[in-house]
Amino acid sequence: MKAYKKWLAAGITMVSALTLAACSNNGGNNEAKSGLKPSVKMSDYYDNKAKSTSTYNNGTLKVAEYNSSPFVGMTSPSLQTNGEDGDVYAPGSVSLFKTDADNKVVDGGLANLKLDKKSKTATITLRDNAKWSNGSKITAKDVEYPYEIISAKDTTSQQYSEDWQAIDGMAAYHTGKAKTISGIKMPDGPKGNKVVIHYNRFAPSLQYGGNSYMWSSIEPYEYIKNVPISKLGSSSQIRKNPIWAGPYKMSKQVVGESTSWVPNKYYYGKQAQIKHVDIQVVNTSNFVSSLKSKQFDFSANVGISSEYPQIAKMSNYTTVGSMGNTPEGPQSQYSYLAFNLGHMDTKTQQNVMDKNTKMANLKLRQAMLYALDIGALRKKFNNGLAWYPNSLISPYYKKYYNSKSPRYMLNMKKANQLLDQAGYKKKGKWRVQPNGKPLTINYGAMTSTPVGEAQYNYYLQQWRKLGLNAQFAGGRPMDMNKFYAILEKPKQDQFDVFSGAFGTASEPTPTGFYGSGASFNMAHFATKKNTQLLNDMNNDKAWNDSYRAKQFKDWQTYMQEQAAYIPTSMGLNWYPVNKRVKGYDIRPGNNEFWSNLSLTSSKPE
C-alpha cells in the first residue's frame, strides 16, 4: 500500500523524432492497434516449478533499480516523494494493515482496524509482538507521529491533502493554530498499542488499503523525537542510520547508488528466507545488457517497454506483469503533461490559480494537445505494454474507471482554429499572446534515454508547427532532482508546461494529487467544481457504490475537458524475473512479497 509518489518515467516511451511524421493514427476501431489499449497479457506471478529440494538462500538476491539519476535517499515513508526511494528501501518497509485480494483491510497485519460509521471513528490496534529492527516496541505514538510529520506547518513532506481535514483538529494543526491534533487519541497512552481517529467526514475509502484519509505506515517516534520535523529529512536517523519494521533491515548503503539488506529478526510476520538482498541503481541504457549478462534477478521498478521484445526472447528470464499490481500492492503508474496555472499560497496551504499565467487560456492548452499524436507514439514504440489513456484513473479500477472520457487526438486543423479563436495571432514566424506580447513556452522535462528524450523533441516540433515558440526550459532536459526542486517551489515560472509521472496509492481517490491543498498538485489546478467532485467521492452518499462510481466518472471527464493534467502513457507494471527466483508474486493479497522469495540456484541463471 503505497503513498503517493512522483516517478521518473525514464524509458516509458522510446521514440525517434525523425520517424514521427509517418505515425498518424489510422482512425481504426481496434483500440489496441491504435495505441489506446494494451495488447500484451502476462501472468501476475511466476510459478517456479523447480523440483530441486536444495535452496540457495544463503546467497544474495540481486535487484536492479533502472534509473538515469541517483536515488534521493529518503527512508522516512512520511517524507518520501520519489518512487525510486520507495523501491530501494522496500525490503525494510511495512504497511500497518493486511489487505485481501480486493484491497480491503482485514485482520492479521501489523495492526488491526475497526471502523465505526456511527461514531465516525477508526480504531487501530497494534499486535503485541510489533517491534522495530533495534528490538524496541512499536507503539501508538509511532502510529500517530506520521500525522504530525505530514501535517506540520514547517514540514518538508508532500503527502498532505485536504482529505486529511476530515480528521478532527487536523486543519487547525496544519495551519499552526493548534499544537496537537485533537482528533487523534491514544487511549492507553503513547506507549500503548491503540490509536483512535475521530473524523468529521467518514469516508468509504477507509475500508481499503492506501486510502487518502488514513496513513498506512509508521515512524519510530522515540528514535527521532529529538529532531525538529523541519529538519527530519536531513537527520542522521533518517539518512544514515534508519531503523526498520519490515522483513529486512539495511546492512549498508551507498546513497544514490545501492542498498544492502539482511533479515530483520524482530519482524512480526513471516521471516525472510534469503540471507542477503542487494539493490543497485543501473542506468536505463543498460537495461537489456545487464540482464543478458545475468547480473540481476529482477528489476525493482517497471521494465522499459521498448526493450520488451529483447527481454521476451531470453530463456533464462520470464516476465511478470499486471495493469494495477506491484510488489508493494495495488498501484497504477502513468506519465502526464501538465500546465503551470498558478501557485501554492504558503499561508493558507492552498493552491491558487492565476489568470495571468501563460497557460491560463483553456483553448491554448487544448490546442497544444490536439497537436500531438500520442496514440501513435504508444502504438509504434511501446510493444503493446503501454497505451494512451483517456483518464487519470486506471482501467484497473473497473468500478470507477470511465471508458467514455474523451481523448485529445491529433487534429492540427482544430488546434489552429482554437488558437485563432483565442487571439493567438501570428506575427512573423511565431504566434503572440492576445495582448500582442511575444509568447515563449518553456517546457520542463527530465533526462531520460536518448530515444526517450526524442519524444520531448516531438512535442516541441508539433507545437512549433502551430506557430508556438516552444523550447526546453534551461535549454535541455534536466536531472530528476533539479527538475522536482523547481516544481516543488510554492511558485515557479521556469516551466509553463512539463512532463512528469505519478505512482498512485492503492485506493484510487486522487485528492492527494489534484486537490486544492495537495502539495503534489504542482500545476496548481484548483477550481470549486474540482473540489466538489473530489469531496463527493467520499461523502456520506458515497457509501452507495453506484453513487461513488458516478462521482469518479464525472471527475475524469471534467479533468480531460479542463486540460490541466493530461495522461500521456499508462502501462502494465511488468518485471523481468530470473528463473532461479521462487515465490515471485504480485497478486493482490500477497502481503509478504519479500518474505515469500527464495532461490533455487547459486547465481542468476
Side-chain angles (χ1 to χ4, degrees), residues 340-353:
N340 181 26
L341 299 177
H343 67 279
M344 169 70 84
D345 186 325
T346 54
K347 291 184 179 179
T348 64
Q349 299 295 313
Q350 292 290 302
N351 285 290
V352 178
M353 292 177 68

Side-chain angles (χ1 to χ4, degrees), residues 41 112 128 160 162 273 299 492 547 572:
K41 293 183 179 180
N112 290 339
D128 292 335
Y160 187 86
E162 57 264 45
Q273 300 175 68
S299 59
Q492 63 85 20
Y547 170 90
L572 296 182

Side-chain angles (χ1 to χ4, degrees), residues 325-465:
N325 298 317
T326 73
E328 295 173 66
Q331 183 187 72
S332 60
Q333 299 173 19
Y334 58 89
S335 300
Y336 61 84
L337 270 173
F339 298 88
N340 181 26
L341 299 177
H343 67 279
M344 169 70 84
D345 186 325
T346 54
K347 291 184 179 179
T348 64
Q349 299 295 313
Q350 292 290 302
N351 285 290
V352 178
M353 292 177 68
D354 183 351
K355 64 181 180 181
N356 296 317
T357 61
K358 292 181 195 175
M359 299 291 110
N361 192 300
L362 175 59
K363 289 184 177 180
L364 171 61
R365 303 196 300 271
Q366 291 176 330
M368 291 175 68
L369 296 169
Y370 278 121
L372 306 177
D373 196 344
I374 300 173
L377 295 178
R378 303 289 82 81
K379 172 189 173 184
K380 189 171 181 69
F381 300 107
N382 290 108
N383 295 298
L385 293 161
W387 64 96
Y388 173 33
N390 68 327
S391 166
L392 294 166
I393 300 293
S394 169
Y396 174 78
Y397 299 100
K398 295 178 182 178
K399 288 190 294 186
Y400 305 125
Y401 166 66
N402 189 348
S403 63
K404 297 180 181 179
S405 287
R407 285 183 179 89
Y408 291 89
M409 304 297 284
L410 177 65
N411 189 333
M412 292 297 283
K413 181 179 179 180
K414 187 168 186 176
N416 278 296
Q417 287 176 343
L418 285 167
L419 291 174
D420 292 341
Q421 292 168 8
Y424 292 89
K425 297 178 180 179
K426 273 198 173 182
K427 189 175 182 179
K429 183 178 181 180
W430 304 117
R431 292 179 183 267
V432 296
Q433 298 179 61
N435 61 11
K437 293 182 179 180
L439 174 64
T440 300
I441 297 173
N442 294 306
Y443 171 48
M446 290 177 278
T447 51
S448 180
T449 58
V451 283
E453 291 180 11
Q455 174 179 249
Y456 308 152
N457 285 305
Y458 167 69
Y459 290 168
L460 294 176
Q461 166 193 299
Q462 292 300 100
W463 293 333
R464 288 167 182 164
K465 283 182 180 180

Side-chain angles (χ1 to χ4, degrees), residues 462-475:
Q462 292 300 100
W463 293 333
R464 288 167 182 164
K465 283 182 180 180
L466 287 178
L468 297 173
N469 184 10
Q471 62 185 23
F472 281 119

